[in-house]
Amino acid sequence: NAGVTQTPKFQVLKTGQSMTLQCAQDMNHEYMSWYRQDPGMGLRLIHYSVGAGITDQGEVPNGYNVSRSTTEDFPLRLLSAAPSQTSVYFCASSTGTAMGYTFGSGTRLTVV
Amino acid sequence: DAKTTQPPSMDCAEGRAANLPCNHSTISGNEYVYWYRQIHSQGPQYIIHGLKNNETNEMASLIITEDRKSSTLILPHATLRDTAVYYCIVRGPRGYGGATNKLIFGTGTLLAVQP
């Protein structure tokens, strides 16, 4: 198993550009989540999903869209990038409440 | 979701046990206590979780008080590689009492293992 795979690992965007951060897991996990981590700060939940076709907002959803058309994939879309979205983005997946989340290695995004 | 309180930082000598406390006085009966850690710049790593009973795995032990209002994560023989931020998180099952099963991180405890 590859676990949770995030692509790209690094990205530089110009203000106003859009892009999609990819997240894929091969563990047949129902639950998937996106977090952002600003320098020196803790992780904040952006969006999460409890299964294909089901998504919900987290703590900081503004400026981001998600969809979950398959169990394996949970892409995060930045609609119009802003410098305030410069951060490290982590994707995570889990089988359910009584199991821990597995995290990807992160995407480091810089918006200039 | 119940909130947790952790000390911002702790030191531990290499080879000694590291005991990381967490207060969760508003925890409800169906909520689990989870521990994760994050080594610099890496994705968080799941360590252990429990509901009522004490738990042990190859990484650590989790001691939950009888009233469930606090817990302690124990790393029995800390090494330099255990230097990380440790997060205590309370999380409930989806759909139970309105819980949405979100994993919400706080600020954690920075554990520095000293040689």
Side-chain angles (χ1 to χ4, degrees):
Chain A
N1 288 346
V4 178
T5 302
Q6 292 185 237
T7 56
K9 293 191 183 303
F10 301 92
Q11 182 70 49
V12 178
L13 285 180
K14 294 183 179 179
T15 297
Q17 286 185 316
S18 63
M19 80 160 293
T20 299
L21 278 62
Q22 301 291 343
C23 176
Q25 52 90 10
D26 60 357
M27 299 172 284
N28 201 32
H29 285 174
E30 287 184 81
Y31 294 80
M32 296 187 75
S33 299
W34 275 104
Y35 293 86
R36 62 176 287 175
Q37 186 171 34
D38 299 336
M41 305 288 287
L43 287 86
R44 291 184 291 172
L45 181 65
I46 305 172
H47 286 284
Y48 71 105
S49 169
V50 297
I54 307 171
T55 63
D56 205 348
Q57 296 181 347
E59 303 171 277
V60 288
N62 292 341
Y64 306 94
N65 275 357
V66 291
S67 60
R68 183 96 180 271
S69 56
T70 67
T71 299
E72 294 78 19
D73 299 299
F74 191 41
L76 178 71
R77 282 182 287 277
L78 279 69
L79 309 174
S80 177
S84 61
Q85 293 179 304
T86 293
S87 191
V88 180
Y89 291 83
F90 290 103
C91 179
S93 72
S94 169
T95 57
T97 301
M99 298 298 293
Y101 271 81
T102 299
F103 281 77
S105 57
T107 294
R108 283 148 181 80
L109 176 68
T110 301
V111 183
V112 299
Chain B
D1 293 333
K3 298 213 180 289
T4 62
T5 304
Q6 300 178 252
S9 63
M10 294 181 63
D11 289 342
C12 178
E14 189 176 19
R16 304 297 292 269
N19 296 282
L20 292 92
C22 179
N23 286 323
H24 31 79
S25 58
T26 59
I27 192 171
S28 61
N30 60 313
E31 290 180 315
Y32 290 80
V33 179
Y34 286 79
W35 284 84
Y36 286 77
R37 73 180 182 184
Q38 186 176 27
I39 297 170
H40 179 64
S41 298
Q42 299 180 18
Q45 177 188 23
Y46 164 79
I47 301 172
I48 198 168
H49 75 280
L51 183 62
K52 296 180 181 179
N53 300 320
N54 298 336
E55 302 287 345
T56 296
N57 62 20
E58 64 278 4
M59 289 183 66
S61 295
L62 173 60
I63 308 299
I64 302 174
T65 58
E66 190 170 347
D67 64 7
R68 301 209 327 123
K69 292 185 177 181
S70 65
S71 60
T72 301
L73 179 74
I74 301 172
L75 307 179
H77 304 287
T79 70
L80 298 178
R81 288 177 293 180
D82 292 321
T83 292
V85 177
Y86 287 77
Y87 296 97
C88 169
I89 302 168
V90 172
R91 174 180 173 227
R94 176 171 175 257
Y96 190 96
T100 56
N101 200 238
K102 297 182 226 183
L103 190 70
I104 303 295
F105 285 80
T107 55
T109 296
L110 174 59
L111 175 68
V113 180
Q114 310 291 344

